[in-house]
Amino acid sequence: MIYARKQKQMIERLIAKGISDRQVLRAMAAVPRHLFVQPGMEFQAYDEKALPIGFDQTISHPYTVALMTQTLQIEDHKRILEIGTGSGYQAAILCEMGARVFTVERIEPLARRAEGKLKDLGFHFLSRVGDGSLGWPAYAPYDGIIVTAGAPVSPASLLDQLKEGGRCVVPIGDGEGQMLTLFIREGRELRKFEIEPLSFVPLIGRDGWKKP
Ligand code: SAM
């Protein structure tokens, strides 16, 4: 397989950068990331960079995907809500790890393209087009919520949809950069941890940024 060597190098880089969750590494070694990038960019798919996917949006860096997934602590059959389907790659990693995936995207053509790719790979998931800053209340509560776009403040509607003991990873900050933040629900309280600074496209919606 022509991408196998690049995919192996990506995994070695992730380990060198501190990713240690074996299930995350196994999933990222299994899912063909080159199928989720734009035609002509396949050879860059395993490099440590975000790539354009159209509509001014990106597929996140491999390290970002790995770090966010590791922070969520996925287990089989856990119900995970993803906000920002984008290319579908992050959703594929979650499915590969055995999660029950619910994913929301605001840009319809991106959602449809991602759905097609995920289905072609045989993954089962539920997806919706809409404002994910409000979550997906119909299927709440979730064991985990992963927001793959930068929010200006803690997204209250999303945090309300988190189960007891559930974890939400969300980048929070201004347009310049964000802090990847982890919330863990403990009863009515939310414990908050700052993980590491990262840079994302904006979360646009009622509980996000107001303008594209
Ligand atoms: N998870 C994606 C992947 O694996 O390719 C990367 C997503 S990209 C960095 C962020 C995505 O969030 C974009 O596709 C963007 O359209 C989407 N987005 C931004 N605001 C949103 C909102 N309020 N609801 C749903 N999706 C949103």
Side-chain angles (χ1 to χ4, degrees):
M1 221 272 270
I2 54 172
Y3 299 106
R5 196 168 60 89
K6 283 181 157 287
Q7 192 161 17
K8 189 162 176 279
Q9 286 167 347
M10 175 186 80
I11 299 298
E12 287 165 358
R13 246 187 352 259
L14 292 175
I15 294 170
K17 282 172 82 96
I19 301 299
S20 56
D21 184 318
R22 296 164 78 94
Q23 296 308 323
V24 173
L25 294 166
R26 190 198 59 74
M28 291 187 69
V31 172
R33 183 171 159 96
H34 60 276
L35 298 184
F36 292 88
V37 302
Q38 290 198 309
M41 301 197 122
E42 289 88 346
F43 267 102
Q44 299 176 61
Y46 297 94
D47 295 349
E48 192 46 48
K49 53 185 175 188
L51 293 171
I53 56 172
F55 304 90
D56 286 334
Q57 305 302 324
T58 53
I59 176 173
S60 303
H61 293 64
Y63 175 70
T64 302
V65 174
L67 178 65
M68 292 182 83
T69 313
Q70 175 168 277
T71 304
L72 263 186
Q73 296 187 351
I74 309 280
E75 286 166 27
D76 254 5
H77 310 304
K78 288 271 165 118
R79 297 161 61 84
I80 307 294
L81 173 66
E82 179 196 24
I83 307 305
T85 317
S87 68
Y89 178 69
Q90 174 73 70
I93 297 297
L94 298 170
C95 289
E96 179 67 30
M97 291 177 74
R100 293 181 58 194
V101 175
F102 304 80
T103 182
V104 185
E105 171 56 55
R106 64 180 280 273
I107 300 175
E108 181 157 10
L110 285 181
R112 299 296 170 236
R113 194 167 66 197
E115 284 165 1
K117 291 186 179 183
L118 290 162
K119 282 183 187 151
D120 286 349
L121 288 169
F123 292 125
H124 299 284
F125 58 94
L126 283 180
S127 73
R128 184 171 80 82
V129 173
D131 179 4
S133 75
L134 304 176
W136 195 346
Y139 291 99
Y142 301 96
D143 299 292
I145 300 179
I146 176 168
V147 185
T148 66
V153 292
S154 309
S157 308
L158 286 171
L159 293 170
D160 281 348
Q161 293 170 35
L162 206 53
K163 236 182 219 176
E164 169 64 24
R167 300 164 79 88
C168 173
V169 279
V170 50
I172 299 176
D174 58 25
E176 301 300 307
Q178 301 86 28
M179 176 59 72
L180 183 63
T181 309
L182 166 68
F183 293 92
I184 304 178
R185 175 162 294 288
E186 285 184 1
R188 294 164 69 101
E189 305 294 314
L190 284 160
R191 288 170 64 202
K192 179 179 175 185
F193 304 87
E194 293 192 338
I195 308 294
E196 124 173 19
L198 292 172
S199 181
F200 283 82
V201 295
L203 177 76
I204 293 164
R206 207 186 75 189
D207 279 9
W209 296 94
K210 301 298 173 230
K211 290 229 160 71

